[in-house]
Amino acid sequence: MSEPRSAFSASEMMIVAAARELADQRVCFVGVGLPNIAVNLARRTVAPQLELVYEAGVFGARPARLPLSIGDPTIVTGATAVTSMFELFGYYLQGGLINVGFLGAAQIDRHGNINTTVIGDYASPRTRLPGSGGACEIAQNAKSVFVIMRQSPRSFVEEIDFRTSVGDRISVVVTDKGIYHMDDGEMRLDSLHPGVSLADLRASMAWTPRVGDVSMETPPPTDEELRLIREELDPQGVYTG
Amino acid sequence: MSEPRSAFSASEMMIVAAARELADQRVCFVGVGLPNIAVNLARRTVAPQLELVYEAGVFGARPARLPLSIGDPTIVTGATAVTSMFELFGYYLQGGLINVGFLGAAQIDRHGNINTTVIGDYASPRTRLPGSGGACEIAQNAKSVFVIMRQSPRSFVEEIDFRTSVGDRISVVVTDKGIYHMDDGEMRLDSLHPGVSLADLRASMAWTPRVGDVSMETPPPTDEELRLIREELDPQGVYTG
Amino acid sequence: MSSSKVTSMRDAVAELVRDGDTVAIEGFTHLICFAAGHEIIRQRRRDLTLCRLTPDLVYDQMIAAGVARKLVFSWLGNPGVGSLHAVRRVTEGDRATLELEEYSHFGMVARYTAGAMKLPFFPLRSYAETDLPTANPLIRPIQSPYGGDQVYAVPPLAPDVTIIHAQRADAAGNTQVWGLLGCQKEAAFAADRVIVVVEELVDEAVIRADPNRTILPGLVVDAVVVEPWGAHPSYAQGHYDRDNAFYLDWDAISRDAGSLDAWLDEWVHGVASRSEYLAKLGDDRLRALRPTPAPSGSVDYGEYR
Amino acid sequence: MSSSKVTSMRDAVAELVRDGDTVAIEGFTHLICFAAGHEIIRQRRRDLTLCRLTPDLVYDQMIAAGVARKLVFSWLGNPGVGSLHAVRRVTEGDRATLELEEYSHFGMVARYTAGAMKLPFFPLRSYAETDLPTANPLIRPIQSPYGGDQVYAVPPLAPDVTIIHAQRADAAGNTQVWGLLGCQKEAAFAADRVIVVVEELVDEAVIRADPNRTILPGLVVDAVVVEPWGAHPSYAQGHYDRDNAFYLDWDAISRDAGSLDAWLDEWVHGVASRSEYLAKLGDDRLRALRPTPAPSGSVDYGEYR
């Protein structure tokens, strides 16, 4: 049980599992933070044909390094197209050309509704979060939405404090504990990561999850996946630290 | 009376008079046809600082020749900016940056309302004219509107057959007979071209015009104005023939 | 994206343009794809709804050839010359057999933009106090939810097929244009199918060296046809000039239905392809349309590793 | 247009940025004009309404310095790093002294676009079933005059002053940008006054050689300030890289109000101009941010006489 844990971190497992979900996908709208590293790992592994779309106005990015921000100069040089944000959000996203929108989240409920705005009351919040950015329009206009986030009783909640983005189009949620898919509007656990028990998982969320067939645990990261994360994508451990 | 007529044509007088009205203007939206030659003459004479805007998506054009069409390649090479038509009509025209919109017309009434759509009934017209193009939005959004057209009882009418563009913002109308300015919503004759009598003019329109001080006739074209038209702008006589 | 979409004009039209389709061959004076229009005539498509801001000679020819049922437009003429006589013959008096749907230029651009953005309408400051909303009931007033004066709305326009001409594209359909941009980008993003016809097929690296120059990603392009001079008598900035002599000649050719039909027989039905049309025009005529160079200069994107 | 608008940052801010103004220093990650933000702090402007999609470090610094009364935004963070601590200090709990007006990215872009187009509203497919219209009553539902599903509208945003950074402009203010374009064009056309800050002042002929590269005509520009490295720690495509180390360092600097004030004293109030700031940064740090060349290549516009 503790053997795989010595080989990789929970963050690495989460990023690898999220990247694998992108196999065979064509066009992905890349959100800031964890989605950024997961999508760039996917393009180097299971989805070499994946076209990366950045809200900053880039289609077909070929980042030579993992950008810290999603508006980095490396996503521009060598890209297929650079457009105004009006055209990126209007013609590409709202126009229906995005297969997968990849989002992070601070809070999520069992239906996949996401809060990235405030913890507490909106007028005088306990914690002021970044807000929507492009998330609410990605959640409404991408054909399907993937979510990657660390889960805990404070992030996997019965009631989110603010509905920033709707869960209607979410198809998969990948966390540091396991993988969920949407089943009739509710998240269903379909895989536990190595070393994570169902009890561990239940202790890390505020509701009792619907559980599918979890007899097979998530295949651990391969050496190549770990090498890409550690040597190429995140040598400074910004995402995995 | 017949002496000036031997020296220049009524079309040349009309174009020259229209060009002179552009003195001191800053930004002009150039319509197809007669406005095109009048504005290009103005830039070579009374309005060297005039910025030419073409609906095709050009700001600050420096045409090296008189374009037959208003989408000619010579308006692009050496221009200040080329934009999509969405931005040209949206940000420049509707955005309020155009001082003068310069239009032609098939029919006009005393209030400056213009018809460029049909002669006769709309459903089964006697003559199908080009239609609005950008005219209806130029008439509504340019700060002031100039009109250049040949006048006759069929073009200067009591009732236009179709209202393509409103006359609210028209400030001057230049014809082959004289020059009119708007006075409290109605055209007022302010100058007769050389060799044109008030009787000639009245015979060339369907209503009795308000007449201002016409004691001074329109100064005839200078040799330089005629040289520019005949040698540089319209050697083939497309506009002046 | 790296799989090739390069095909012939004959195959592109055969596969992607169908009887009854709503078709937009866009390009404002610049880059009007006459080569595609002529192939559609040769393949005898019928009942098309043709959309263009300026129907221009290309639609005058297609309408004379009988491919169209309806015309959606904003300015109907031969710029600087006069009328489109073939269109007038089927729109005036009792001869009115062609259905018309009429807007202004900005109205048409806004319709394509709404189509590209999947918006149910687009608002604009046009048409106030004019007869256009009466002539076309699809132009409707709309109130702002913030009060203030009323504006007008136009509905989205999403063609079945949009055909554009461009200076260059790669085999995947990533397309770059300079000079007048018209509303080709909006018309293409709004369409179900897109055919891009180019002067020059270039390597993907040429496109990626200047991504700000790209107007369409291959993602929205179904076919790439390499057809140099495919826009003649329209023009391609930097490649060849507008053949104004032909635009002037067309006035006489098109005044009479018989002489127009004879022209179609000789120049469209009488040639199997664009290359035959060009051979018929002759090198001298084409050479005279070549401009002298005016380079844009290069900018530096920088390599970031 | 040929009269020069070139001036110093000090004079541009003194003449064009006034207490109580609505100010947009736009640029999405790329071309964020920190030089202008620092000069506004030095001149101790007050009661500004600051607008930006991503307030970023530049507004965290300006808000900490006390220039702002209100913030209009769509994403409030240090990209890839974490929070904007100075903004959080005046927006959380009882300490909430800064007024917030919140949209999504597309909502903000649409607001600038409506401002540039003088439209009373802009429609978009966002906000459905979210709490954002409740949090911000200016986000309102609107029905299409053609039926179909409801969409939302946002009101126009027309700043008193928009400040943008660009790779180059001529003395008349004709401005060209490559790389990420963000919504600078829309924010500038929407504004009453526009300040353009450039890496390089070029001859008018450089602009006219590639008119498709122009994002703003001098017509809408009031002042041109030549300030190389004026976007640091943001970046200018082809000129210098984003200084990610500073974005990472800012997290620690800004967590404590005292250390942030000390930073402002040293790096903003403590320097008289951008050139002093750059001297303080040192050549080694700047040199390390220079990319290797990646030329766009040149296209041919053709000379037509």
Side-chain angles (χ1 to χ4, degrees):
Chain A
M1 201 70 135
S2 63
E3 167 271 328
R5 282 191 170 282
S6 64
F8 56 88
S9 72
S11 294
E12 288 170 331
M13 181 71 258
M14 168 172 64
I15 291 161
V16 165
R20 291 172 183 162
E21 292 285 328
L22 286 165
D24 312 326
Q25 291 291 349
R26 174 85 188 280
V27 182
C28 181
F29 199 109
V30 187
V32 66
L34 288 168
N36 192 17
I37 185 169
V39 171
N40 276 278
L41 177 60
R43 208 175 62 77
R44 287 167 168 74
T45 54
V46 296
Q49 290 298 313
L50 192 64
E51 295 286 354
L52 309 190
V53 180
Y54 286 88
E55 64 189 8
V58 179
F59 176 82
R62 294 278 174 88
R65 66 188 183 200
L66 180 69
L68 176 67
S69 79
I70 52 174
D72 191 89
T74 196
I75 68 173
V76 168
T77 304
T80 303
V82 174
T83 77
S84 69
M85 290 181 78
F86 179 81
E87 290 174 8
L88 196 286
F89 276 99
Y91 302 175
Y92 287 79
L93 178 59
Q94 194 170 279
L97 300 177
I98 307 300
N99 302 125
V100 178
F102 215 132
L103 302 175
Q107 283 184 332
I108 193 168
D109 67 20
R110 70 182 67 208
H111 307 298
N113 298 306
I114 288 173
N115 172 22
T116 55
T117 301
V118 290
I119 302 299
D121 170 54
Y122 183 77
S124 55
R126 263 200 323 288
T127 306
R128 175 65 228 197
L129 302 168
S132 167
C136 82
E137 33 246 350
I138 293 168
Q140 185 174 341
N141 293 291
K143 291 193 169 51
S144 77
V145 177
F146 291 10
V147 176
I148 178 171
M149 65 189 291
R150 296 183 175 86
Q151 74 173 83
S152 77
R154 284 167 52 243
S155 65
F156 268 48
V157 296
E158 278 290 350
E159 281 286 328
I160 56 178
D161 294 8
F162 189 96
R163 187 186 287 201
T164 313
S165 309
V166 290
D168 302 357
R169 295 185 173 212
I170 288 184
S171 58
V172 56
V173 179
V174 177
T175 75
D176 51 342
K177 300 283 192 296
I179 303 171
Y180 304 79
H181 293 91
M182 277 294 167
D183 171 5
D184 190 19
E186 180 172 339
M187 285 166 57
R188 181 193 62 225
L189 178 72
D190 287 333
S191 183
L192 285 163
H193 296 333
V196 180
S197 70
L198 198 50
D200 295 337
L201 178 122
R202 287 211 171 105
S204 66
M205 58 200 297
W207 76 84
T208 306
R210 186 179 297 183
V211 180
D213 174 5
V214 293
S215 53
M216 304 260 292
E217 67 179 16
T218 312
T222 65
D223 294 344
E224 175 60 5
E225 286 167 332
L226 290 174
R227 188 193 66 75
L228 286 166
I229 292 173
R230 295 169 182 178
E231 293 174 20
E232 290 188 21
L233 295 173
D234 192 24
Q236 292 158 10
V238 173
Y239 296 89
T240 51
Chain B
M1 200 71 136
S2 64
E3 168 271 326
R5 282 191 170 280
S6 64
F8 55 88
S9 73
S11 293
E12 288 170 331
M13 181 72 258
M14 168 172 64
I15 290 160
V16 166
R20 292 171 180 162
E21 292 285 329
L22 286 165
D24 313 326
Q25 292 291 349
R26 173 87 187 279
V27 181
C28 181
F29 199 109
V30 187
V32 67
L34 288 168
N36 192 17
I37 184 169
V39 171
N40 277 278
L41 177 60
R43 207 174 63 77
R44 286 168 168 76
T45 53
V46 297
Q49 290 297 312
L50 192 65
E51 295 285 354
L52 308 191
V53 179
Y54 286 88
E55 64 189 8
V58 179
F59 176 82
R62 293 279 174 87
R65 65 189 185 199
L66 179 69
L68 175 67
S69 79
I70 52 174
D72 191 90
T74 196
I75 68 173
V76 167
T77 304
T80 303
V82 174
T83 76
S84 70
M85 290 181 77
F86 178 80
E87 290 175 8
L88 196 286
F89 277 98
Y91 302 176
Y92 287 79
L93 178 59
Q94 193 170 279
L97 300 177
I98 306 300
N99 301 127
V100 179
F102 214 133
L103 302 175
Q107 283 185 330
I108 193 168
D109 67 20
R110 71 182 67 208
H111 306 300
N113 298 306
I114 289 173
N115 172 22
T116 55
T117 301
V118 289
I119 302 298
D121 170 55
Y122 183 77
S124 54
R126 263 201 323 289
T127 306
R128 174 66 229 197
L129 301 168
S132 168
C136 81
E137 34 245 351
I138 293 168
Q140 184 174 342
N141 295 289
K143 289 193 170 52
S144 76
V145 177
F146 290 10
V147 176
I148 178 171
M149 65 188 292
R150 295 182 175 86
Q151 73 173 82
S152 78
R154 285 168 49 244
S155 64
F156 269 48
V157 296
E158 279 289 352
E159 281 286 329
I160 55 178
D161 294 7
F162 189 95
R163 186 186 287 201
T164 313
S165 309
V166 291
D168 302 357
R169 296 184 173 212
I170 289 183
S171 60
V172 58
V173 179
V174 177
T175 77
D176 50 343
K177 299 284 193 294
I179 302 171
Y180 304 79
H181 293 91
M182 275 295 166
D183 171 5
D184 190 20
E186 180 172 339
M187 285 165 58
R188 182 192 63 224
L189 179 72
D190 287 332
S191 183
L192 286 163
H193 295 334
V196 180
S197 71
L198 198 51
D200 296 337
L201 179 121
R202 287 213 171 102
S204 67
M205 58 200 297
W207 76 85
T208 307
R210 186 180 297 183
V211 179
D213 175 4
V214 292
S215 53
M216 303 261 291
E217 69 178 15
T218 313
T222 65
D223 293 345
E224 175 60 6
E225 287 167 332
L226 290 173
R227 188 193 65 75
L228 286 166
I229 292 173
R230 294 169 183 177
E231 294 174 22
E232 289 188 20
L233 295 172
D234 193 24
Q236 291 158 13
V238 173
Y239 295 91
T240 53
Chain C
M1 300 281 297
S2 51
S3 63
S4 176
K5 293 169 183 167
V6 177
T7 181
S8 68
M9 182 67 82
R10 180 173 297 170
D11 291 348
V13 168
E15 289 165 28
L16 298 169
V17 183
R18 301 156 195 170
D19 287 353
D21 274 355
T22 295
V23 178
I25 302 177
E26 268 302 345
F28 194 85
T29 317
H30 185 212
L31 298 170
I32 302 172
C33 194
F34 279 76
H38 289 181
E39 183 59 27
I40 289 169
I41 291 172
R42 273 192 293 269
Q43 294 193 23
R44 303 190 185 284
R45 288 289 173 281
R46 290 294 179 265
D47 302 319
L48 302 181
T49 293
L50 296 177
C51 310
R52 263 183 70 77
L53 275 65
T54 59
D56 202 84
L57 276 47
V58 65
Y59 281 6
D60 208 38
Q61 293 167 3
M62 292 170 75
I63 286 163
V67 307
R69 178 185 71 72
K70 180 177 179 179
L71 179 62
V72 182
F73 72 101
S74 48
W75 193 84
L76 195 60
N78 181 347
V81 179
S83 295
L84 295 178
H85 298 291
V87 175
R88 283 184 62 179
R89 276 192 287 276
V90 291
T91 52
E92 292 176 350
D94 328 331
R95 302 169 300 176
T97 54
L98 183 73
E99 184 182 346
L100 297 183
E101 187 179 319
E102 178 164 14
Y103 298 85
S104 59
H105 279 346
F106 195 29
M108 282 292 286
V109 170
R111 292 198 64 198
Y112 286 129
T113 305
M117 295 177 77
K118 297 271 193 292
L119 281 174
F121 68 94
F122 202 95
L124 65 167
R125 293 190 181 278
S126 300
Y127 309 123
E129 301 169 64
T130 75
D131 291 333
L132 284 155
T134 311
N136 180 357
L138 287 173
I139 299 170
R140 297 180 184 171
I142 184 169
Q143 285 295 339
S144 166
Y146 308 100
D149 51 344
Q150 170 189 277
V151 294
Y152 278 86
V154 290
L157 176 53
D160 295 309
V161 195
T162 289
I163 302 172
I164 73 165
H165 197 84
Q167 282 102 336
R168 66 189 186 193
D170 64 21
N174 299 303
T175 304
Q176 298 189 329
V177 168
W178 53 98
L180 299 182
L181 304 174
C183 54
Q184 285 96 305
K185 178 186 281 189
E186 292 76 14
F189 272 95
D192 288 347
R193 295 161 241 143
V194 174
I195 300 173
V196 172
V197 185
V198 292
E199 290 295 316
E200 187 187 8
L201 184 70
V202 296
D203 186 87
E204 179 183 0
V206 173
I207 302 294
R208 291 185 181 273
D210 195 359
N212 285 104
R213 194 82 75 185
T214 303
I215 69 158
L216 292 181
L219 181 65
V220 299
V221 176
D222 297 283
V224 176
V225 177
V226 184
E227 203 78 278
W229 294 89
H232 176 275
S234 171
Y235 71 98
Q237 192 80 38
H239 287 262
Y240 46 94
D241 199 352
R242 189 169 187 261
D243 194 343
N244 289 321
F246 183 82
Y247 275 81
L248 290 163
D249 293 345
W250 184 252
D251 193 62
I253 295 168
S254 60
R255 267 179 200 281
D256 170 70
S259 70
L260 195 161
D261 289 345
W263 185 89
L264 288 175
D265 288 341
E266 180 179 358
W267 289 91
V268 180
H269 296 297
V271 298
S273 67
R274 192 64 176 179
S275 47
E276 280 187 30
Y277 168 95
L278 295 174
K280 214 169 139 56
L281 272 178
D283 289 345
D284 294 353
R285 181 146 191 178
L286 300 183
R287 203 176 301 108
L289 294 170
R290 289 272 190 204
T292 54
S296 68
S298 179
V299 301
D300 185 6
Y301 280 87
E303 202 61 64
Y304 295 87
R305 303 199 167 280
Chain D
M1 300 281 295
S2 51
S3 63
S4 176
K5 294 169 182 167
V6 177
T7 182
S8 68
M9 183 65 83
R10 180 174 297 168
D11 292 348
V13 168
E15 289 164 28
L16 298 169
V17 182
R18 300 155 196 170
D19 287 352
D21 274 356
T22 295
V23 178
I25 302 177
E26 267 302 346
F28 193 86
T29 317
H30 185 211
L31 298 170
I32 302 172
C33 194
F34 280 77
H38 290 181
E39 184 59 27
I40 289 169
I41 292 172
R42 272 192 294 269
Q43 295 193 20
R44 305 191 184 283
R45 287 290 173 282
R46 289 293 178 266
D47 301 319
L48 301 180
T49 293
L50 296 178
C51 310
R52 264 183 70 78
L53 275 64
T54 60
D56 202 84
L57 275 47
V58 65
Y59 281 6
D60 208 37
Q61 293 166 3
M62 292 171 76
I63 285 163
V67 308
R69 177 184 72 71
K70 179 177 179 180
L71 178 63
V72 183
F73 72 101
S74 48
W75 193 85
L76 195 60
N78 180 347
V81 178
S83 296
L84 295 178
H85 298 292
V87 175
R88 283 185 61 180
R89 275 192 288 276
V90 291
T91 51
E92 293 177 351
D94 328 331
R95 301 169 302 177
T97 55
L98 182 73
E99 185 181 346
L100 297 183
E101 186 178 319
E102 178 163 14
Y103 298 85
S104 60
H105 279 346
F106 195 30
M108 282 292 287
V109 170
R111 292 198 64 199
Y112 285 129
T113 304
M117 295 177 76
K118 296 273 193 290
L119 281 174
F121 68 94
F122 202 94
L124 65 167
R125 293 191 182 277
S126 300
Y127 309 123
E129 301 168 63
T130 74
D131 291 333
L132 284 156
T134 311
N136 180 357
L138 287 174
I139 299 171
R140 297 181 184 170
I142 184 169
Q143 286 293 339
S144 166
Y146 308 100
D149 51 344
Q150 170 188 277
V151 294
Y152 278 86
V154 291
L157 176 52
D160 295 308
V161 195
T162 289
I163 302 173
I164 71 165
H165 198 83
Q167 283 101 336
R168 67 190 185 192
D170 64 20
N174 298 303
T175 304
Q176 298 189 328
V177 168
W178 53 98
L180 299 181
L181 304 174
C183 54
Q184 285 96 304
K185 177 185 282 190
E186 293 75 14
F189 272 95
D192 287 348
R193 295 162 240 142
V194 175
I195 301 173
V196 172
V197 185
V198 292
E199 290 295 316
E200 188 187 7
L201 184 70
V202 296
D203 187 87
E204 180 182 359
V206 173
I207 302 293
R208 291 185 182 273
D210 195 359
N212 285 105
R213 194 82 75 186
T214 304
I215 70 158
L216 292 182
L219 180 66
V220 300
V221 175
D222 298 282
V224 175
V225 177
V226 184
E227 203 78 278
W229 294 90
H232 177 275
S234 170
Y235 70 99
Q237 192 80 38
H239 287 261
Y240 46 94
D241 200 351
R242 188 168 188 262
D243 193 343
N244 289 321
F246 182 82
Y247 276 80
L248 290 162
D249 293 346
W250 184 252
D251 193 63
I253 295 168
S254 59
R255 266 179 201 281
D256 170 71
S259 69
L260 196 160
D261 290 343
W263 186 90
L264 288 175
D265 288 341
E266 180 179 0
W267 289 92
V268 181
H269 296 296
V271 298
S273 68
R274 191 66 175 178
S275 46
E276 281 188 29
Y277 169 95
L278 295 174
K280 213 168 140 57
L281 273 177
D283 288 345
D284 294 353
R285 180 145 191 179
L286 300 183
R287 203 176 301 108
L289 294 171
R290 288 272 191 203
T292 54
S296 68
S298 179
V299 301
D300 185 7
Y301 279 86
E303 202 61 65
Y304 295 88
R305 302 199 166 280

